[in-house]
Amino acid sequence: MDMSMNQGNGALMMFSDPAAVAAAETARARIQAAYQVALYKPRKEEQARVKILDACKRPSFASRVEYSKPVGNQKITGASIRYVEMALREWGNIMIDTQTIYEDDEKKRVSVRVIDLETNTAFGKEIQNSKTVERRDSRGRAVLRQRTNTGGHTVYIVRATEDEILNKEAAHISKVIRTEGLRLLPQDITDEALDTAKQAREGAIKDPSLFAKQICDAFFGLRISPEDLEQYLGRPVTACSKAELLELESIFNAIKDGEAKWADYVTPKNTDGNGGGLKQDATAKGLNDELRGKSSEAPITCPDGSPADAAKCKACTQPGGCEHAPKK
């Protein structure tokens, strides 16, 4: 913090925090050095493109290139955080700058910028992370307040640990880097990379049943059981096609990278009636069945207003005006 003190002769003496001055000078020197390197070693775009596509041809990496998450009533797919990190590295002369601009006991505000050193183009965003987390069990935690969730359960807002704070901050920073980094990368190269990765993923599935088991194992690591996947799909994972298995893989990437949660794909309020959480769309058939069920509950009457039954309809000699009479 800067301080000043007036002297008797009218001169103004300035005192500065040495740590703040050193940090500012270090940041300035780092940015200047980055621009100088970009000046003497410019980007070779075609070579960078080849490197990006080559990385997407590796099946182990291709499986992490794309994510899929629900937005409203639709599912969107796009380049994952892992892809953008790789692409920015291969594109070259890109600097990612993060600075803490405010911090107190309950929140921390961080500025994240992605800078193209060759074009002097920068995109960024400020993110704010709370230093609290919600837990159902408050034992051993510093409880700040509590609330009742939508399920009627009491959840506690507790002070986050250092690891929890770091994990939340890293996840938010990665999302900003992905979003802003894609604005610096050519869209045609990204589209080509996603297509290349999809071909590599399809080619890597030699045994669909074995791949389905690997998908189940991966989801189980996120505490999502094969039974949950079966409810979501409406059939066993081993009965899925290659396209459906690849879709599950993209969903796994979205959940693992923090883009979405399993609850976003399954909703308890739209259940199948058996307690499952499978999200289902209403179909014309379902609506027709429902309407037929409601109409069948209403009593059938004859044109004269008297109750009707099957035997009476067969013996009826005056079906005129009755909507239940067979059409000639």
Side-chain angles (χ1 to χ4, degrees), residues 187-229:
Q187 184 62 47
D188 60 324
I189 294 181
T190 297
D191 293 340
E192 191 176 2
L194 293 180
D195 291 339
T196 301
K198 185 176 181 180
Q199 295 175 7
R201 292 164 65 195
E202 291 176 347
I205 305 179
K206 305 298 182 182
D207 185 351
S209 61
L210 176 60
F211 187 76
K213 293 178 181 178
Q214 294 172 345
I215 288 289
C216 289
D217 292 342
F219 272 98
F220 194 74
L222 300 177
R223 298 183 180 180
I224 301 170
S225 67
E227 183 179 355
D228 295 329
L229 296 177

Side-chain angles (χ1 to χ4, degrees), residues 4 19 25-26 28 38-41 70 104 120 144 150 168-169 171 175 182 196 210 226 243 249 253 258 276 292 320:
S4 63
E25 291 300 323
T26 300
R28 181 183 304 174
L39 180 63
Y40 291 109
K41 191 178 180 181
D104 59 22
N120 200 26
L144 301 177
T150 55
K168 289 175 62 174
E169 183 178 319
K175 289 181 182 179
L182 281 174
T196 301
L210 176 60
E249 191 174 56
N253 290 335
R292 282 197 294 268

Side-chain angles (χ1 to χ4, degrees), residues 50-71:
V50 171
K51 288 183 177 181
I52 292 173
L53 297 181
D54 187 61
C56 292
K57 292 177 183 178
R58 302 196 303 267
S60 59
F61 180 76
S63 63
R64 307 176 185 178
V65 164
E66 190 175 58
Y67 74 89
S68 173
K69 70 175 182 179
V71 175

Side-chain angles (χ1 to χ4, degrees), residues 284-296:
K285 181 179 182 303
L287 291 175
N288 290 334
D289 291 342
E290 184 179 355
L291 292 174
R292 282 197 294 268
K294 290 181 178 179
S295 63
S296 64

Side-chain angles (χ1 to χ4, degrees), residues 173-189:
I173 290 176
S174 294
K175 289 181 182 179
V176 174
I177 293 173
R178 193 279 310 277
T179 302
E180 307 303 335
L182 281 174
R183 301 173 71 178
L184 292 177
L185 293 168
Q187 184 62 47
D188 60 324
I189 294 181

Side-chain angles (χ1 to χ4, degrees), residues 11-189:
L12 187 65
M13 183 180 296
M14 301 298 297
F15 296 92
S16 300
D17 184 356
V21 174
E25 291 300 323
T26 300
R28 181 183 304 174
R30 181 169 60 88
I31 294 174
Q32 289 178 347
Y35 274 106
Q36 289 177 355
V37 170
L39 180 63
Y40 291 109
K41 191 178 180 181
R43 177 186 303 124
K44 298 179 180 179
E45 295 188 1
E46 190 58 35
Q47 182 176 349
R49 169 186 166 275
V50 171
K51 288 183 177 181
I52 292 173
L53 297 181
D54 187 61
C56 292
K57 292 177 183 178
R58 302 196 303 267
S60 59
F61 180 76
S63 63
R64 307 176 185 178
V65 164
E66 190 175 58
Y67 74 89
S68 173
K69 70 175 182 179
V71 175
N73 295 325
Q74 299 179 340
K75 288 182 181 178
I76 63 171
T77 59
S80 68
I81 293 171
R82 302 286 85 83
Y83 164 78
V84 174
E85 290 173 344
M86 178 277 299
L88 290 177
R89 183 181 66 249
E90 299 297 348
W91 192 241
N93 291 337
I94 299 290
M95 186 177 70
I96 299 172
D97 182 58
T98 60
Q99 294 182 0
T100 300
I101 57 179
Y102 178 80
E103 184 173 9
D104 59 22
D105 291 338
E106 289 201 8
K107 58 182 175 292
K108 182 179 181 181
R109 192 175 299 131
V110 179
S111 172
V112 183
R113 292 195 306 161
V114 184
I115 308 169
D116 189 331
L117 300 172
E118 291 196 10
T119 62
N120 200 26
T121 303
F123 296 104
K125 184 179 181 181
E126 289 185 6
I127 58 176
Q128 180 168 296
N129 294 309
S130 64
K131 294 184 178 181
T132 61
V133 292
E134 291 188 353
R135 292 291 182 265
R136 293 280 295 274
D137 186 358
S138 63
R139 288 177 295 182
R141 306 300 295 264
V143 179
L144 301 177
R145 50 192 176 273
Q146 66 184 51
R147 70 176 184 86
T148 302
N149 62 13
T150 55
H153 302 287
T154 300
V155 293
Y156 301 93
I157 293 89
V158 301
R159 195 174 302 280
T161 64
E162 289 294 332
D163 288 342
E164 289 170 339
I165 294 173
L166 289 175
N167 290 337
K168 289 175 62 174
E169 183 178 319
H172 288 167
I173 290 176
S174 294
K175 289 181 182 179
V176 174
I177 293 173
R178 193 279 310 277
T179 302
E180 307 303 335
L182 281 174
R183 301 173 71 178
L184 292 177
L185 293 168
Q187 184 62 47
D188 60 324
I189 294 181

